[in-house]
């Protein structure tokens, strides 16, 4: 393909139905329909509710993306879809739709990795220079918390560590509930933390002891932190003193941010990589961005943060990753793949056709 | 020509001419791997009928949620890709149509019957039919689709005076044929949304658990 490929990307791994249209590195549409409100009363994403919402949102979202970009489906060069990781039932809706669209249009299909998609989001940031390699990437959302070493977007992504229990976004949701705050927890914790003292309570930093450095240097754990907050709040109640919600929220947030940024910068130092890329919905947290930028600068690490709409789950990043695969000459995926809820990050593309075989 | 897709039990894809002649059909009986097989089945069937598909018939269920959705998503996306409409079909209607056509050929039993399919969780889905409409050639559904306990469905059907007929597969060709007949009769015979028949499983919000000191 001599000109830059026009790719339509479909992302349904969690609670956002994302349709993106990109031409090479240029973003033409990033349409996102979220079922978040439907999950609010349950305090977390309900997989079946999310999957039903995807089915309802897909067609209108594709229509909206085409309208916004001024692209006709007939002009699309390739279809891209998230194969995993994510919620299986939710992923399957996107996979079924993407395969049918590819067959209907007789276009190649690229099945790609959601986490690597988060990294690819950066190349759509028109205001930033090209992403340099290698880079460390910290991906933080309600569904994942992963630290990656990216030597090449399309060929070489290594998992350094990930959460052993809750994702960071989940921890925000659960602690918000403990504090009697609504879902989603991130913005709520942020709001009340604004008037709190982040050093008021020293909450534990999971997997950060010297004894953890051997096996879990880059892994995360937030369930102990959540329990510590719950215990602290219970003690207040037992002692008959009001819970200092702003201080608890600020101190909890500080513990999460500290462990995320410390481990990310530790990875930069130990791999001699002066670059850190942030991605995932929790990047919306201003304190996380501020601390990462400040401590990155002090450590001589350049921190890149794509615009927030590209950080949350979206289809544009899936399309962007596929466009990179196409431009690097990779063959499309076969039609014989499924949803893989635990797809490892090393599998950047799924079911790639044998490059030597006839198309 | 009409493309029929159904994933309410296994996965089935067929292309049928407007008069009912089957141009191609591909099936997978696997009740789990819908997402894996749908693309290849579609490709195999559509490759034989490239350009002149005018409608997509979508089996809307009832069926286990996760699989059912994949066929509906595929049907809608295919229709979008080709710029053609989706015709929704109750999956049991397609099963009933096949049974009625078969009965007519074999002079087999008549009277009221119920299509019964597995709905998992010790439940079945059933729909009751009173023969075929002579004008439009479509099954006459008089009850359902609805859920009943696996152990209690016989009593339910006895009350309805319907003979039980279990089905373990849906034919994509019959989904397409039912849609073709509905189209010819100017009728809409299926719902716009999936026939889940069951609310999503959700844990009721609970107060945070005590963790102790
Ligand atoms: Zn994500």
């Amino acid at each position: 393909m001599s000109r830059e490929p026009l790719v339509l990307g479909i992302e349904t791994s969690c609670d956002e139905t994302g349709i993106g249209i990109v031409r090479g590195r240029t973003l033409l549409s990033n349409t996102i329909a979220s079922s978040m409100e439907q999950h609010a009363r349950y305090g977390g994403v309900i997989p079946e509710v999310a999957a039903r919402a995807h089915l309802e949102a897909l067609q209108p979202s594709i229509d909206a993306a085409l309208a916004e970009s001024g692209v006709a489906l007939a002009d699309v060069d390739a279809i891209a879809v998230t194969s995993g990781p994510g919620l299986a039932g939710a992923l399957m809706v996107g996979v079924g739709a993407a395969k049918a669209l590819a067959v209907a249009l007789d276009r190649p299909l690229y099945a790609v990795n959601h986490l690597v998609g988060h990294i690819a989001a950066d190349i759509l940031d028109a205001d930033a220079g090209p992403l340099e390699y290698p880079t460390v990437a910290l991906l933080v959302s309600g569904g994942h918390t992963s630290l990656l070493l990216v030597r090449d977007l399309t060929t070489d992504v290594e998992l350094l560590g990930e959460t052993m229990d809750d994702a960071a976004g989940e921890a925000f949701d659960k602690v918000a509930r403990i504090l009697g705050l609504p879902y989603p927890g991130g913005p709520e914790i942020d709001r009340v933390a604004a008037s709190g003292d982040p050093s008021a309570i020293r909450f534990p930093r999971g997997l950060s002891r010297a004894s953890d450095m051997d096996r879990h240097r880059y892994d995360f754990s937030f369930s102990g932190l959540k329990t510590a907050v719950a215990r602290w709040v219970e003690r207040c109640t037992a002692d008959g003193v009001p819970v200092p919600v702003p201080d608890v929220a600020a101190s909890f947030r500080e513990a999460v941010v500290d462990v995320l940024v410390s481990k990310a910068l530790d990875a930069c130092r130990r791999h001699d990589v002066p670059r850190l890329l942030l991605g995932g919905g929790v990047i919306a947290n201003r304190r996380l961005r501020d601390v990462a930028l400040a401590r990155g600068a002090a450590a001589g690490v350049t921190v890149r943060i794509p615009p927030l709409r590209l950080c949350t789950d979206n289809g544009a990043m899936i399309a962007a990753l596929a466009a990179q695969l196409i431009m690097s000459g990779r063959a499309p995926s076969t039609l014989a793949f499924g949803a893989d809820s635990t797809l490892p990050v090393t599998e950047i593309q799924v079911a790639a056709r044998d490059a030597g075989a006839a198309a | 020509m009409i493309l029929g897709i159904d994933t309410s039990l296994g996965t089935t894809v067929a292309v049928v001419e407007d008069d009912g002649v089957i141009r191609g059909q591909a099936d997978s009986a696997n009740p789990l791997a819908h997402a894996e097989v749908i693309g290849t089945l579609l490709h195999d069937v559509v490759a034989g009928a490239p350009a002149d598909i005018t409608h997509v018939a979508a089996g809307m269920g009832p069926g286990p949620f996760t699989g059912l959705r994949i066929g509906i998503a595929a049907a809608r996306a295919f229709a979008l890709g080709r710029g053609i409409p989706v015709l929704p079909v109750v999956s049991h209607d397609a099963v009933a149509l096949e049974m009625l056509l078969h009965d007519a050929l074999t002079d087999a039993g008549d009277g009221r019957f119920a299509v019964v399919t597995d709905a998992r969780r010790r439940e079945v889905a059933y729909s009751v039919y009173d023969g075929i409409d002579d004008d439009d050639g479509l099954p006459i559904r008089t009850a359902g689709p609805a859920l009943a306990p696996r152990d209690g469905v016989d009593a339910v059907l006895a009350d309805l005076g319907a003979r039980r007929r279990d089905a373990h597969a849906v034919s994509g060709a019959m989904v397409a044929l039912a849609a073709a007949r509905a189209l010819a009769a100017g009728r809409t015979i299926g719902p716009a949304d999936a026939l889940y028949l069951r609310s999503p499983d959700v844990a009721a919000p609970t107060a945070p658990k005590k963790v102790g000191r």
Side-chain angles (χ1 to χ4, degrees), chain A residues 12 81-83 87-100 109 111 334-340, chain B residues 6-7 9-12 28 30-42 65-74:
Chain A
T12 63
V81 68
T82 304
S83 170
L87 304 170
L91 287 164
M92 286 176 200
V93 178
V95 168
K99 287 181 176 181
L109 176 62
T334 69
L335 288 170
F337 64 90
D340 185 344
Chain B
D6 189 287
T7 56
L9 292 172
T11 303
T12 176
S28 160
N30 190 328
L32 293 175
H34 306 92
E36 284 84 347
V37 302
I38 186 93
T40 307
L41 298 181
L42 263 174
F65 321 147
T66 309
L68 176 63
R69 265 192 293 269
I70 295 163
I72 298 171

Side-chain angles (χ1 to χ4, degrees), chain A residues 14-108:
Chain A
C14 192
D15 61 340
E16 328 265 18
T17 309
I19 303 296
I21 299 177
V22 308
R23 187 184 292 284
R25 299 170 162 270
T26 309
L27 177 64
L28 301 182
S29 176
N30 181 18
T31 299
I32 300 170
S34 177
S35 60
M36 191 178 66
E37 279 179 21
Q38 295 180 53
H39 307 288
R41 61 197 171 114
Y42 308 114
V45 174
I46 306 297
E48 175 61 22
V49 171
R52 290 185 181 194
H54 284 307
L55 181 61
E56 298 319 309
L58 257 178
Q59 196 177 339
S61 298
I62 295 173
D63 284 336
L66 293 169
E68 187 190 10
S69 60
V71 163
L73 273 178
D75 299 330
V76 169
D77 295 312
I79 306 296
V81 68
T82 304
S83 170
L87 304 170
L91 287 164
M92 286 176 200
V93 178
V95 168
K99 287 181 176 181
L101 199 53
V103 171
L105 296 168
D106 193 21
R107 295 293 190 278

Side-chain angles (χ1 to χ4, degrees), chain A residues 223-256:
Chain A
S223 81
L225 170 59
K226 175 195 68 191
T227 306
V229 173
R231 216 167 258 161
W232 210 91
V233 169
E234 277 174 31
R235 204 172 309 140
C236 287
T237 314
D239 295 349
V241 296
V243 178
V245 171
D247 284 352
V248 175
S251 300
F252 158 76
R253 183 182 65 178
E254 204 61 12
V256 174

